[in-house]
Amino acid sequence: MRADRLWHVALPLVVGLVFLAGWETLVRVAEIPVYVLPGPLRIATTLVRDWGTLTDSLVITLEVTVAALLAAVVFGGGLAILFAQSRWIEASLFPYAVILQVTPIVAIAPLILIYVRNTEAALLICAWIVAFFPILSNTTMGLNSTDPNFLDLMRLYRANRWQVLWHVRLPQAMPYFLAGLRIAGGLSLIGAVVAEFTAGTATAGTGLAYRILESSYRLDIPRMYAALVLLSGSGVLIFAGLSLLSWLVLRRWHESYARRDI
Amino acid sequence: MSVKLVALRHVAKRFDNGTEALRDLSFEISRGSFTSLLGPSGCGKSTALRLIAGLASASAGQVEISDTRGLSFVFQEPALMPWRSVAGNVALPLTLQGVPKAEIASRVTAVLAQVGLAGFARAYPRQLSGGMKMRVSIARALVTRPLLLLMDEPFAALDEITRAKLNDDLLALHAAERLTIVFVTHSVYESVFLSDRILVMAPRPGRVVADIAVEAPAVRDEIFRTGELYNRQARAVSQALREAMGEADAR
């Protein structure tokens, strides 16, 4: 068991190191110019050199990401609870949520940037549009997949609608919501970056996506890679954080965290 | 004489899809009795139980309960909420009634001890065996101190040994609490061992075809379970059930 776990950590690390070493060797041996493909060492030194500027930009991007995720939780979750109250509300609104979801955000973003004066608010709206749907659809599904026995029990106890929601529907929806949240975390980062790219050309943004654009205009390819490393690192951290949250909430009762030995 | 607690009068139940689940079903349940509704699958015995519980309404006829204060239902599945601990599951009906917290705690502790789960208050349902889950389910039904306990094939999914143990414990609870129990089962042996009266039901449409009083010693134990008295009655009930089935097949 323990050796098995060690391999799970060691194998991807080895693969990564081999890949990076191969990349570095290729760049050096073939003498590929740095404006075409910089080696990993060059990217690392750029990351260290520009750390201050890049992390300042990262904070701005993450602020939009986190705000969008929180808004997605509030509005996605809230809308799902509203849907659970009445099939009619769900039937009349759900198609529009789908339309909002399937329309590519890159296509909507320029419009939002025209109508919303405050750039940060516009970025937030873009990221929110991408992030809220998985939370809405997952939570709706969770709220509707109630064990009929529990509903019978609540009827016998003469529980009111809110007691049923609080004691049965919400806990039952929790695993679905958390699964949606993990997807939404990554999506809100993507949404924030896409919105920044769109806004970057229109206004003077300072987020990490704007840094990537700026570096590409200057042909500062190592810095583009360094910003990319920070972005994907943040994405991984967001996913890990939300997975941890999910584990903390569900570990005691949900099957997905059941250990075989009990 | 016995005081009646439940009365069904000419009850019929037809589902929305047209299935006639019950036709002209009439019987009374007296206070303190242990009655089994015995019949093959699809004879409407569970439906009858749900009508008594008020979980479904009759298409015709009346379901009367003379004292609606305490009615508890035990489902075929334990139906425990996996996100609540054992104590949390048992406490739920009291929490919903707004019983003070201190009283909930003491009543939950007492009822868990009664069903033999004293050390498991903080465990979660997924950590328990099937038999233990069913005990929690029974504890949850008892914590409200019901007069009437309705049980829908509660032990059907359990192994023989666990089932026998739970049968013994249920009899002890019935004697100690002066509960009125209506017990739905498709097992002849379980119904003879547990109840003082068996209503044999026939399917399509569901109705009572035999009303059998069970003769038993004051203490129903292993000696009763393996004795001549028990076997004779089990044979008689089996015969009644076969006739009910034959009647249904002839239709």
Side-chain angles (χ1 to χ4, degrees):
Chain A
M1 183 66 205
R2 196 172 274 181
D4 203 42
R5 232 182 233 181
L6 195 68
W7 280 115
H8 271 281
V9 180
L11 279 178
L13 268 180
V14 169
V15 170
L17 285 175
V18 168
F19 176 75
L20 288 178
W23 179 358
E24 187 69 39
T25 318
L26 176 76
V27 167
R28 281 168 194 256
V29 170
E31 292 177 346
I32 299 173
V34 91
Y35 55 83
V36 175
L37 179 66
L41 286 178
R42 179 64 189 270
I43 294 167
T45 47
T46 311
L47 187 58
V48 173
R49 193 194 63 211
D50 294 347
W51 183 256
T53 333
L54 288 177
T55 47
D56 283 353
S57 298
L58 176 65
V59 167
I60 288 166
T61 303
L62 285 183
E63 273 172 8
V64 173
T65 305
V66 171
L69 187 59
L70 288 178
V73 168
V74 173
F75 289 102
L79 208 55
I81 290 171
L82 188 69
F83 284 3
Q85 299 312 306
S86 147
R87 297 263 166 192
W88 295 112
I89 301 177
E90 183 180 346
S92 24
L93 291 183
F94 201 77
Y96 296 101
V98 174
I99 290 172
L100 207 55
Q101 164 69 13
V102 296
T103 312
I105 188 64
V106 254
I108 318 174
L111 281 173
I112 293 172
L113 283 155
I114 291 173
Y115 296 127
V116 183
R117 291 278 175 77
N118 183 329
T119 315
E120 210 155 297
L123 298 181
L124 182 63
I125 291 171
C126 292
W128 171 77
I129 288 176
V130 188
F132 96 103
F133 189 77
I135 293 186
L136 172 68
S137 68
N138 270 32
T139 312
T140 302
M141 190 176 168
L143 290 170
N144 287 334
S145 56
T146 324
D147 186 331
N149 278 336
F150 294 164
L151 296 182
D152 279 346
L153 269 179
M154 297 307 270
R155 253 182 96 180
L156 287 168
Y157 301 151
R158 296 191 176 83
N160 62 39
R161 175 186 284 258
W162 300 110
Q163 287 174 319
V164 174
L165 180 68
W166 180 252
H167 289 289
V168 177
R169 289 193 194 275
L170 284 180
Q172 193 125 50
M174 192 53 89
Y176 296 82
F177 165 76
L178 288 167
L181 185 66
R182 283 201 289 186
I183 301 168
L187 284 180
S188 58
L189 181 64
I190 293 173
V193 169
V194 167
E196 273 182 25
F197 269 122
T198 318
T201 49
T203 52
T206 44
L208 210 48
Y210 177 75
R211 292 284 169 224
I212 293 178
L213 274 181
E214 180 195 59
S215 310
S216 89
Y217 296 149
R218 295 177 187 171
L219 278 182
D220 191 349
I221 312 299
R223 192 155 135 160
M224 288 179 78
Y225 273 99
L228 202 57
V229 168
L230 278 183
L231 272 182
S232 46
S234 311
V236 169
L237 280 183
I238 289 170
F239 185 79
L242 294 175
S243 299
L244 178 70
L245 178 73
S246 176
W247 179 77
L248 286 174
V249 174
L250 301 180
R251 75 199 151 106
R252 301 239 262 179
W253 64 270
H254 200 253
E255 296 86 356
S256 56
Y257 295 103
R259 291 207 309 269
R260 283 279 160 264
D261 53 3
I262 54 171
Chain B
M1 255 317 278
S2 58
V3 184
K4 76 169 195 287
L5 184 60
V6 180
L8 272 73
R9 293 185 217 289
H10 309 294
V11 167
K13 176 68 182 176
R14 191 182 282 277
F15 290 119
D16 292 338
N17 62 15
T19 311
E20 194 178 15
L22 297 171
R23 181 192 290 176
D24 198 21
L25 185 69
S26 297
F27 61 79
E28 293 183 350
I29 303 283
S30 53
R31 192 165 285 204
S33 65
F34 196 131
T35 308
S36 285
L37 295 181
L38 174 71
S41 318
C43 73
K45 52 195 193 299
S46 294
T47 306
L49 205 64
R50 291 176 65 82
L51 288 176
I52 298 172
L55 289 174
S57 53
S59 312
Q62 291 97 44
V63 178
E64 287 167 16
I65 300 178
S66 57
D67 195 333
T68 53
R69 261 179 308 166
L71 176 154
S72 284
F73 201 105
V74 176
F75 299 93
Q76 185 168 353
E77 302 86 34
L80 303 178
M81 297 179 185
W83 53 86
R84 286 179 159 256
S85 66
V86 165
N89 268 288
V90 176
L92 182 63
L94 300 181
T95 308
L96 291 171
Q97 284 173 13
V99 175
K101 272 199 172 141
E103 192 189 334
I104 293 180
S106 68
R107 277 168 72 174
V108 167
T109 309
V111 79
L112 281 179
Q114 203 177 3
V115 299
L117 287 175
F120 292 91
R122 300 175 67 139
Y124 279 77
R126 75 162 197 224
Q127 298 168 288
L128 306 180
S129 67
M132 287 160 91
K133 282 184 196 160
M134 192 39 83
R135 284 172 189 276
V136 179
S137 190
I138 292 169
R140 179 178 59 191
L142 293 177
V143 80
T144 53
R145 295 175 183 151
L147 288 170
L148 177 62
L149 182 59
L150 306 172
M151 306 182 91
D152 188 4
E153 300 190 39
F155 309 141
L158 302 177
D159 64 89
E160 194 65 36
I161 298 165
T162 311
R163 178 197 273 239
K165 181 79 180 79
L166 279 164
N167 281 344
D168 291 343
D169 293 355
L170 185 61
L171 283 174
L173 281 172
H174 178 240
E177 300 285 318
R178 293 308 301 152
L179 278 166
T180 306
I181 298 181
V182 183
F183 190 92
V184 164
T185 181
H186 55 233
S187 161
V188 168
Y189 305 97
E190 198 170 48
S191 68
V192 175
F193 183 67
L194 290 174
S195 38
D196 41 49
R197 180 181 173 210
I198 300 171
L199 297 172
V200 181
M201 293 182 69
R204 284 177 292 275
R207 66 218 180 277
V208 172
V209 290
D211 186 343
I212 300 167
V214 177
E215 226 183 295
V219 180
R220 299 174 186 224
D221 53 12
E222 213 43 46
I223 296 167
F224 170 59
R225 206 200 300 262
T226 50
E228 170 55 27
L229 182 63
Y230 174 82
N231 280 317
R232 182 156 47 80
Q233 295 186 94
R235 261 200 307 280
V237 173
S238 280
Q239 179 61 29
L241 191 59
R242 257 199 310 280
E243 277 165 18
M245 294 295 289
E247 211 178 298
D249 289 342
R251 274 165 189 252

